[in-house]
């Protein structure tokens, strides 16, 4: 009876036929000794067919199926193509050896190919695995490892739910490019000014902005052709009719030399380049803003996209930023000053990159350090939320921003800011409410007995009790179950936000929230 | 051995080198900008155990008895491996730079025995770790990849390390590390079911198991039957409390060894590692070794 063995590798499926079955019998020991030597093993087992995977995606599908013990269509067609046909009613004269019995039963159900996976088969598979690269002629040494590497990475990525959109590398590259672009645009713009000034020196003093200068110079072209007709165009560009008139006047009395048409064309092209670059810079900035709101919305809401992106790129990645303590975040960017101060036992710097956010500027000199520390603490919270929570929401970032504002006011006027605990609670409640609204249309009357999720009648009476509980419990943000949201939603609708019931018992019922709850404080 | 001389000394042996401590590396980090920012936090002044090397001292690096491992001698000795990806560190470990004759620098990373059981075993004095340049290693229980990175340094670009780790969080860190090192193949899967990842692994020379699971003997033997070549070797680290915290550690080790022997995993060395608080033992051995 013929025996085949299926071997799944990262580059494809291989089907091997086992010869000399009669000699070996089903003796594992004999197989073992033959495995060690390729020539002997080669006589025992021979390659019948090899089906390489079409693409990386195909390979990933196959490996997922194999790990579950499920047969894919590709595997099925491969087997049916290469194994002898199974005739109806007759007992097949061959069997297929597999590594996993589960896959075997699946294959048998679908194709009636008899499968076995015993020790004997496992030994054979060991041999195949050992000598696999020699069996397949097309595979060069090292190819197999590469395919294993690629496939393992994609498999593992799928396992850890790697989300391409939330890759922070884009932001880091974008911010570097932005800096480089700024420098380059500046150099080029200076060059345009110098070059065109040969022809029209007075323009430099009238138009100060680099970008506008490039546009104006392109528009004016040859200054001798400047007439009153050009005023509307110039006004459009410059935004100021007086300036436009000035330009025309200066053009008439200019002491610059004439340029040949060819020279003018060159200057034009260059000015065009500068304008294009400036436009691109704008687009890049927009891209950066979008990316930041994708990967770190709370950080962006708190301190702005530019500063946020700089922090991330300085730390190396969003995860690194989240891992470091807030004291590190405070002086990220001021390492030279920090270590110098540490070595010479002087005063350490109070702020690094954080300085560029607007809050530090608004604080008085005495309070700059305090605000920096406070801001760094909040930034740490925001970056951690961004890094580890699922779902992109700016709710936390905005609330944190409000807190910083409140603290600034406190330093200014002595108005006591809210406690962090309360603010966070508010955010979570808001988020739950939003979640609920997003998922179902709001129930007008709370007293409706029909609830969408079967909760049980007794809980309706407890809605009153629960709503008051809810407001006092502090929750962590992660999972908002719909039933909980529903309860909350109903409770929110029934009363104003913060009712204070004293010492209500925590009703332990079906709203099994997966959040950690801290005991409610009765006095607040 | 040749006396160490400044500027002399060939390739691997190296001459006098300079060890830079944590402060130095942070300054370097800001100088190079974002490129080396990964994995390093500025302002981190070292406080935790670093494997013995202080910053700023002169070090001499010599090969260890085990191929691929080196020893850095200064006021106190440290185990180091040659960095496969110069410029990158995994875990804030210190690095040692050695100048060669031709002015090129070789970078070594310090291997901390408190963090890594394999390093512990080496410093305790194991006869043979079997891991050397060019071999293929299956590493069960890779965690965040600290020891995996050192194993990958040792086996070099010719060898490869299949790192199996079940947890997501550690898996992410492991995958980040594997992106830099092309000889590490990350597999985020349960080591108890080698059938699930059989498509991703070839035949290996060594299995290294650090899973700390009550059934770790079974896990090792199952993986060995799939992936370990005949005549291959294994190392398993046994934490007595993980198997059974009620009975004495010695008994636990004996039990595990017996379980292994039943599955054709013949132990050749048993080392007791008592450097930490927990009672650990490392068992080295061979698989389907030919009968003498």
């Amino acid at each position: 009876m013929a025996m085949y063995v299926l071997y799944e590798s990262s580059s494809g499926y291989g089907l091997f036929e086992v010869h000399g079955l009669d000699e070996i019998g089903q003796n594992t020991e004999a197989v073992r000794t033959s495995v060690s030597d390729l020539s002997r093993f080669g006589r025992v087992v021979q390659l019948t067919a090899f089906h390489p995977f079409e693409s990386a995606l195909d390979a990933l599908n196959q490996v997922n199926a194999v790990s579950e013990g499920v047969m894919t269509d590709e595997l099925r067609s491969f087997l049916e193509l290469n194994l002898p046909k199974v005739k109806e009613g007759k007992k097949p004269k061959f069997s297929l050896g597999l590594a996993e019995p589960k896959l075997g039963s699946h294959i048998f159900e679908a194709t009636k190919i008899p499968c076995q996976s015993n020790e004997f088969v496992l030994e054979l598979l060991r041999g195949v695995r050992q000598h696999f690269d020699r069996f397949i002629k097309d595979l060069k040494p090292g190819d197999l490892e590469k395919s294993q590497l690629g496939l393992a990475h994609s498999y593992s990525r799928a396992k850890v739910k790697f989300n391409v959109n939330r890759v922070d590398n884009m932001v880091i590259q974008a911010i570097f490019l932005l800096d480089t672009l700024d420098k380059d645009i500046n150099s080029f713009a200076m060059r345009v000014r110098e070059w065109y000034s040969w022809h029209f020196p007075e323009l430099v003093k009238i138009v100060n902005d680099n970008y506008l200068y490039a546009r104006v110079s392109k528009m004016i072209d040859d200054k001798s052709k400047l007439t009153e007709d050009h005023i509307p165009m110039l006004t459009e560009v410059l935004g100021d009719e007086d300036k436009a008139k000035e330009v025309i006047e200066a053009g008439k009395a200019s002491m610059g030399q004439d340029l040949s048409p060819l020279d003018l064309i060159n200057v034009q092209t260059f000015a065009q380049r500068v304008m294009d670059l400036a436009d691109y810079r704008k687009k890049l900035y927009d891209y950066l803003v979008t990316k930041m709101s994708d990967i770190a919305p709370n950080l962006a809401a708190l301190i702005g996209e530019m500063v946020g992106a700089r922090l991330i790129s300085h730390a190396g990645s969003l995860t690194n930023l989240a891992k470091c303590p807030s004291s590190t975040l405070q002086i990220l960017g001021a390492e030279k000053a920090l270590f110098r101060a540490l070595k010479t036992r002087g005063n350490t710097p109070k702020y690094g990159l954080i300085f560029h956010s607007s809050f530090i500027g608004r604080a008085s000199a005495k309070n700059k350090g305090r605000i920096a520390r406070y801001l760094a603490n909040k930034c740490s919270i925001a970056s951690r939320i961004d890094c580890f929570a699922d779902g992109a929401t700016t709710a936390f970032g905005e609330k944190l921003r409000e807190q910083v504002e409140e603290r600034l006011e406190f330093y200014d006027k002595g108005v006591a800011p809210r406690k962090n605990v309360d603010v966070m609670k508010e955010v979570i409640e808001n988020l739950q409410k939003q979640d609920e609204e997003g998922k179902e249309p709001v129930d007008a009357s709370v007293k409706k007995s029909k609830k969408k999720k079967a909760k049980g009648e007794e809980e309706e009476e407890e809605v009153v009790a629960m709503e008051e509980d809810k407001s006092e419990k502090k929750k962590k943000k992660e999972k908002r179950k719909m039933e909980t949201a529903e309860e909350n939603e109903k409770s929110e609708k029934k009363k104003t936000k913060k009712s204070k019931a004293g010492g209500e018992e925590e009703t332990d019922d079906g709203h099994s929230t997966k959040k950690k709850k801290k005991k409610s404080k009765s006095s607040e | 051995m040749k006396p160490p001389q400044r500027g002399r000394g060939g390739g691997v042996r190296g001459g006098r080198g300079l060890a830079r401590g944590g402060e130095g590396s942070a300054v370097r980090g800001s100088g190079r900008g974002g490129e080396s920012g990964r994995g390093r936090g500025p302002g981190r002044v070292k406080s935790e155990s670093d494997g013995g090397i202080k910053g700023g001292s002169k070090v001499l690096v010599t090969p260890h008895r085990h191929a691929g491992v080196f020893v850095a001698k200064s006021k106190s000795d440290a185990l180091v491996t040659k960095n496969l990806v110069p410029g990158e560190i995994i875990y804030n470990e210190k690095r040692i730079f050695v100048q060669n004759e031709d002015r090129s620098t070789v970078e070594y990373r310090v291997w901390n025995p408190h963090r890594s059981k394999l390093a512990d075993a080496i410093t305790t004095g194991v006869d043979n770790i079997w891991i050397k340049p060019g071999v293929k290693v299956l590493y069960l229980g890779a965690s965040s990849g600290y020891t995996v990175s050192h194993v990958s340094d040792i086996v070099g670009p010719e060898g490869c390390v299949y790192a199996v780790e079940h947890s997501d969080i550690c898996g992410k860190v492991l995958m980040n590390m594997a992106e830099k090192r092309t000889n590490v193949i990350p597999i985020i899967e349960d080591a108890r079911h080698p059938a699930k990842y059989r498509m991703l692994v070839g035949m290996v020379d060594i299995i290294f198991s650090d899973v700390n699971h009550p059934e770790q003997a079974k896990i090792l033997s199952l993986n060995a039957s799939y992936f370990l070549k005949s005549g291959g070797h294994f190392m398993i680290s046994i934490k007595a409390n993980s198997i059974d915290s009620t009975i004495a550690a010695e008994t636990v080790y004996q039990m595990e060894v017996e379980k292994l022997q039943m599955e054709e995993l013949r132990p050749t060395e048993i080392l007791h590692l008592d450097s930490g608080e927990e009672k650990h033992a490392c068992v080295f051995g061979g698989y389907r070794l030919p009968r003498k």
Side-chain angles (χ1 to χ4, degrees), chain A residues 172-192:
Chain A
I172 297 172
Q173 299 295 342
I175 197 93
F176 277 139
L177 181 57
L178 213 54
D179 286 338
T180 318
L181 259 185
D182 279 337
K183 283 200 199 94
D184 288 344
I185 291 178
N186 201 29
S187 331
F188 290 156
M190 301 306 284
R191 183 55 48 211
V192 171

Side-chain angles (χ1 to χ4, degrees), chain A residues 8 32 126 129 148 155, chain B residues 162 189 198 201 228 264:
Chain A
E8 311 91 343
R32 227 180 261 193
R126 273 176 66 91
R129 192 183 296 277
Q148 281 171 345
Y155 181 68
Chain B
Y162 298 93
E189 189 52 83
R198 67 184 187 273
V201 185
L228 184 58
E264 303 185 89

Side-chain angles (χ1 to χ4, degrees), chain A residues 387-420:
Chain A
C387 187
F388 299 115
D390 304 320
T393 156
T394 60
F396 287 100
E398 279 152 20
K399 284 291 175 186
L400 289 169
R401 195 189 173 88
E402 278 177 32
Q403 283 191 292
V404 184
E405 303 270 359
E406 279 174 18
R407 182 137 294 238
L408 272 172
E409 273 209 29
F410 171 66
Y411 283 130
D412 251 349
K413 298 183 190 103
V415 176
R418 289 176 290 173
K419 285 185 190 235
N420 188 39

Side-chain angles (χ1 to χ4, degrees), chain A residues 7-10 13 32 53 59 62-63 66-68 99-100 103 122-123 126 129-130 145 148-149 151-153 155-157 159-160 169 172 176 313-317 320 324-325 328 332 335 338-339 342-343, chain B residues 23 26-27 30 33-34 37-45 136 160 162 168 171-173 175 178-179 182 184-189 195-196 198-203 224-230 264 287-288:
Chain A
Y7 177 69
E8 311 91 343
S9 85
S10 51
Y13 288 124
R32 227 180 261 193
F53 296 135
Q62 302 303 319
V63 77
V66 162
S67 83
E68 300 293 315
E100 204 187 347
L103 185 61
L122 287 179
E123 285 301 323
R126 273 176 66 91
R129 192 183 296 277
Q130 180 103 12
E145 269 92 44
Q148 281 171 345
L149 184 61
L151 193 55
H153 266 114
Y155 181 68
S156 305
R157 275 191 200 133
K159 284 268 164 170
V160 301
N169 202 24
I172 297 172
F176 277 139
S313 86
H314 194 95
S317 81
N320 286 350
C324 68
T328 302
L332 262 185
E335 285 85 9
L338 176 70
F339 287 111
L342 286 172
K343 278 192 220 166
Chain B
E23 308 171 337
V27 168
S30 56
R38 205 164 271 273
R40 207 174 319 156
R44 199 156 295 180
V45 184
K136 297 199 185 350
C160 93
Y162 298 93
D168 277 356
K172 274 196 192 139
V173 181
M175 281 175 58
E179 269 165 31
T182 48
V184 176
I185 300 186
I187 301 173
I188 313 296
E189 189 52 83
K196 286 190 158 196
R198 67 184 187 273
M199 267 176 84
L200 302 171
V201 185
M203 215 63 171
S225 71
Y226 271 86
F227 305 124
L228 184 58
K229 71 173 193 205
S230 300
E264 303 185 89
Y287 183 58
R288 297 192 186 178

Side-chain angles (χ1 to χ4, degrees), chain A residues 11-12 34 39 53 57 129 136 179 195 228 261 314 318 326 463 472 487:
Chain A
S11 25
S34 70
S39 46
F53 296 135
L57 191 56
R129 192 183 296 277
I136 312 291
D179 286 338
W195 198 350
E228 306 291 321
H314 194 95
L318 184 58
S326 56
V463 168
E472 302 198 35
E487 311 268 347

Side-chain angles (χ1 to χ4, degrees), chain A residues 160-408:
Chain A
V160 301
K161 299 188 190 51
F162 179 78
N163 186 352
V164 176
N165 285 335
R166 301 192 74 195
V167 172
D168 52 10
N169 202 24
M170 301 295 116
V171 166
I172 297 172
Q173 299 295 342
I175 197 93
F176 277 139
L177 181 57
L178 213 54
D179 286 338
T180 318
L181 259 185
D182 279 337
K183 283 200 199 94
D184 288 344
I185 291 178
N186 201 29
S187 331
F188 290 156
M190 301 306 284
R191 183 55 48 211
V192 171
R193 288 164 90 96
E194 282 213 34
W195 198 350
Y196 194 67
S197 297
W198 179 256
H199 177 64
F200 190 172
E202 291 78 8
L203 193 57
V204 187
K205 293 197 193 66
I206 302 174
V207 185
N208 278 328
D209 185 54
N210 282 340
Y211 181 63
L212 286 181
Y213 187 94
R215 287 188 73 182
V216 170
S217 68
K218 188 161 185 303
M219 192 181 307
I220 296 180
D221 203 6
D222 193 351
K223 67 174 188 283
S224 47
K225 301 212 188 74
L226 259 189
T227 61
E228 306 291 321
D229 304 333
H230 288 107
I231 291 191
M233 275 187 346
L234 281 173
T235 320
E236 204 188 308
V237 175
L238 289 167
D240 189 1
E241 200 175 333
D242 290 330
K243 277 235 159 103
K245 289 210 180 95
E246 255 188 83
V247 170
I248 309 268
E249 292 298 319
K252 291 189 188 133
S254 173
M255 59 176 173
Q257 302 204 16
D258 280 332
L259 284 177
S260 74
L262 184 60
D263 297 335
L264 275 172
I265 289 176
N266 267 313
V267 185
Q268 298 299 314
T269 331
F270 188 40
Q272 184 59 46
R273 272 275 187 271
V274 174
M275 279 160 55
D276 291 340
L277 272 180
D279 286 333
Y280 174 61
R281 193 220 180 265
K282 248 187 232 119
K283 284 206 199 98
L284 187 64
Y285 180 73
D286 292 333
Y287 169 70
L288 181 67
V289 167
T290 331
K291 265 295 162 180
M292 275 298 285
S293 65
D294 270 339
I295 69 157
N298 292 298
L299 197 62
L302 177 56
I303 46 170
E305 287 82 11
M306 284 297 282
V307 185
R310 277 195 206 286
L311 280 175
I312 294 178
S313 86
H314 194 95
S317 81
L318 184 58
T319 328
N320 286 350
L321 187 67
K323 279 196 219 170
C324 68
S326 56
S327 51
T328 302
L329 206 149
Q330 187 177 346
I331 41 126
L332 262 185
E335 285 85 9
K336 189 159 160 216
L338 176 70
F339 287 111
R340 185 181 61 212
L342 286 172
K343 278 192 220 166
T344 60
R345 316 250 169 110
N347 277 339
T348 51
K350 293 193 282 291
Y351 25 64
L353 288 169
I354 289 245
F355 188 71
H356 296 112
S357 74
S358 57
F359 300 112
I360 313 274
R362 285 157 56 185
S364 64
K366 199 162 60 97
N367 294 319
K368 278 202 197 320
R370 295 189 185 128
I371 287 293
R373 186 184 64 234
Y374 190 76
L375 185 61
N377 294 345
K378 298 304 171 194
C379 284
S380 251
I381 298 179
S383 70
R384 283 164 196 170
I385 296 176
D386 285 329
C387 187
F388 299 115
D390 304 320
T393 156
T394 60
F396 287 100
E398 279 152 20
K399 284 291 175 186
L400 289 169
R401 195 189 173 88
E402 278 177 32
Q403 283 191 292
V404 184
E405 303 270 359
E406 279 174 18
R407 182 137 294 238
L408 272 172

Side-chain angles (χ1 to χ4, degrees), chain B residues 219-238:
Chain B
I219 294 175
L220 178 61
S221 60
L222 198 52
N223 276 281
S225 71
Y226 271 86
F227 305 124
L228 184 58
K229 71 173 193 205
S230 300
H233 296 268
F234 67 91
M235 169 181 160
I236 179 167
S237 104
I238 308 179

